[in-house]
Amino acid sequence: MAKDKSAGKRYYPTPALEKGLDILELFASTPAGLTVSEVARRLNRTVSEIFRMLLCLEQRGYLAQSANKERYQLTLRLFRLGQEHPPTKRLITEALPTMHWVAHELRQSCHLGVLDGGHVVILAQVDSPESTGFFVKVGSKVDLMHAATGHVILAHQDEDSCQRAIEEWELETKKKKPADLDEHLAKIRVRGYERRASYEVTGVVNISFPILNAQGNAVAGLTVPYVKRIEDNIGIPEIIVTLRKASRQISEAIGALSPVEEEEQKAPKRATKRPPKALPE
């Protein structure tokens, strides 16, 4: 196929690949699963061509049939592949030891989340050592605007990245950005962390700190879904102190500057004085 020199990007149609990706994206947005006819109808395809694609995706482990063989559902294969991506794998590897320390110190669960389109995906999670508590499952997806983790990431990204994430959320949800979002993110930036009652569970307060990369942008959020137990002697102030320390430790492990290095960069460089030239005799 001849390249269109006037086009900004090359484009070579690949119908089979595009069909397979359409199917995976459809299943990703439909947790309850779909029948063959439902997939065909939503994608405006014939049942026969969709059936062949579903069989292939099932054989490759991306889809699985329900117990009654009537519906297909997405497996965790895509999620596992995402975890094997080098930056993600390194983030999890560096974060888990610190997360175990957090859970032990605070007697609360903690989790690590990243942005994925209009959602936050939980990459890693550590249970509380206590017999009771609250936790969020690894692989869970939460609406970006209903997640403390999502808000703290948005607040600590550069303007372009933040705007792109919000636009993806608007595109996926068909909703408009909350009117108070900019003001809310500004408060998080000043405070350095998010502290907010859960949008989904009464009695849970989510406290979230950003995980920063070498450029100072948030790539993840470390969150404790705090649940007050009757005999707890560890409260929100202690959680904030511990999470601040933990988030810095993980951030530095993946390349972020330490507070000392940040101050050194901000400090104006002193001009080196040259010795005066000798006067001619």
Side-chain angles (χ1 to χ4, degrees), residues 44-94:
N44 196 26
R45 303 275 187 172
T46 65
V47 170
S48 60
E49 62 178 328
I50 289 298
F51 181 71
R52 292 195 297 271
M53 294 295 293
L54 295 183
L55 282 181
C56 177
L57 290 169
E58 183 185 12
Q59 290 170 354
R60 296 295 297 267
Y62 292 96
L63 296 177
Q65 290 191 56
S66 60
N68 59 13
K69 305 293 184 180
E70 291 181 359
R71 309 177 77 81
Y72 285 88
Q73 292 177 312
L74 200 63
T75 67
L76 291 177
R77 181 169 173 76
L78 281 175
F79 177 70
R80 288 194 294 269
L81 288 176
Q83 286 186 306
E84 290 300 313
H85 184 53
T88 303
K89 191 170 185 178
R90 182 188 173 196
L91 175 60
I92 296 172
T93 301
E94 297 289 357

Side-chain angles (χ1 to χ4, degrees), residues 40-171:
R41 183 172 64 254
R42 294 197 188 190
L43 297 181
N44 196 26
R45 303 275 187 172
T46 65
V47 170
S48 60
E49 62 178 328
I50 289 298
F51 181 71
R52 292 195 297 271
M53 294 295 293
L54 295 183
L55 282 181
C56 177
L57 290 169
E58 183 185 12
Q59 290 170 354
R60 296 295 297 267
Y62 292 96
L63 296 177
Q65 290 191 56
S66 60
N68 59 13
K69 305 293 184 180
E70 291 181 359
R71 309 177 77 81
Y72 285 88
Q73 292 177 312
L74 200 63
T75 67
L76 291 177
R77 181 169 173 76
L78 281 175
F79 177 70
R80 288 194 294 269
L81 288 176
Q83 286 186 306
E84 290 300 313
H85 184 53
T88 303
K89 191 170 185 178
R90 182 188 173 196
L91 175 60
I92 296 172
T93 301
E94 297 289 357
L96 276 175
T98 301
M99 291 173 67
H100 281 283
W101 171 77
V102 167
H104 176 77
E105 287 289 307
L106 300 178
R107 321 306 289 178
Q108 299 278 339
S109 72
C110 62
H111 56 263
L112 186 76
V114 297
L115 297 190
D116 178 27
H119 293 82
V120 170
V121 176
I122 306 305
L123 286 185
Q125 185 268 339
V126 176
D127 287 339
S128 163
E130 300 291 341
S131 58
T132 59
F134 178 82
F135 71 94
V136 181
K137 292 191 300 183
V138 171
S140 298
K141 294 180 71 174
V142 185
D143 187 300
L144 174 59
M145 296 302 165
H146 290 174
T149 304
H151 287 166
V152 83
I153 295 174
L154 289 178
H156 290 87
Q157 287 189 331
D158 61 71
E159 188 175 347
D160 288 343
S161 298
C162 178
Q163 186 58 37
R164 281 197 302 272
I166 293 170
E167 288 173 356
E168 285 191 54
W169 176 83
E170 291 176 327
L171 186 64

